[in-house]
Amino acid sequence: MGVNHKEIVDANTFLHDSVTANRSGKDEEKAKFGIGQKVKLIKEIVNDGTYPHAPIGTLLMPEGSIGYIKSVGEFLQVIRVYEVHFFGVMDAPVEIVGCREHELEAMEDYRNEVEEELEFMRKHREKYYSKD
C-alpha cells in the first residue's frame, strides 16, 4: 500500500526557511563582522560536540585569542556563524573555529575592499574617460 503521509505529517506545522525565519536573538539583522576583519574572542570556545576529533568539553580556543573572519555562514537559517582563523595559538587543538557574534569583538573597523576598488574605478572612469 505504501506510506500514508497524512498519518506522519501535520499539515499545520509551521516550517522555517530563509524567507520566513527570524534571526536568532543573539545576532544582529545584518552581519556585524566582515570577511578579513580582525577580531578577538571574548569567550572561550569549548567543543559542544560539533568538532568530531576531541571529546565534548575540550577547550578549542581560549578567550582573548586574535583571529580573522574567513567566512560568514548560517546554521538552520537563523543562526549566523563566523568561521574565524586564529593564528599561532599554542594551547588550541585547531586553528579555525566557528564563532557566534556575541563571542567576538572587532579589533579594527571593517573595510569592504571590493566596494572601495569599484568606487575608485568609477571615479577614474568619470575623470579620464568622457562619453563625448
Side-chain angles (χ1 to χ4, degrees):
M1 275 267 163
V3 177
N4 182 353
H5 294 302
K6 291 182 180 180
E7 291 179 9
I8 61 172
V9 176
D10 181 358
N12 297 318
T13 301
F14 181 76
L15 300 175
H16 289 279
D17 59 28
S18 60
V19 176
T20 61
N22 291 325
R23 190 71 39 218
S24 163
K26 293 184 178 181
D27 294 339
E28 304 282 336
E29 194 56 39
K30 286 187 159 191
K32 189 174 180 181
F33 308 106
I35 295 173
Q37 189 173 7
K38 185 177 183 179
V39 293
K40 179 180 180 179
L41 193 57
I42 58 175
K43 179 181 176 185
E44 70 180 14
I45 302 294
V46 296
N47 187 15
D48 59 1
T50 55
Y51 181 68
H53 305 293
I56 293 174
T58 301
L59 178 68
L60 295 178
M61 195 59 58
E63 179 180 336
S65 299
I66 305 295
Y68 294 86
I69 303 293
K70 185 174 180 191
S71 69
V72 182
E74 291 183 345
F75 177 69
L76 300 176
Q77 294 129 342
V78 296
I79 299 171
R80 186 173 295 114
V81 178
Y82 295 89
E83 184 180 28
V84 183
H85 195 159
F86 295 95
F87 296 96
V89 179
M90 297 304 191
D91 300 336
V94 295
E95 286 186 346
I96 299 172
V97 179
C99 300
R100 301 283 309 280
E101 282 182 355
H102 67 278
E103 298 169 332
L104 299 170
E105 171 181 272
M107 298 298 292
E108 63 187 11
D109 291 335
Y110 174 65
R111 288 182 53 208
N112 186 332
E113 294 178 358
V114 172
E115 288 298 320
E116 289 177 8
E117 183 69 18
L118 290 172
E119 180 64 17
F120 172 82
M121 290 169 36
R122 186 187 63 74
K123 288 180 179 178
H124 179 79
R125 282 192 305 270
E126 286 176 1
K127 184 174 181 179
Y128 294 105
Y129 299 98
S130 70
K131 295 180 181 181
D132 300 341

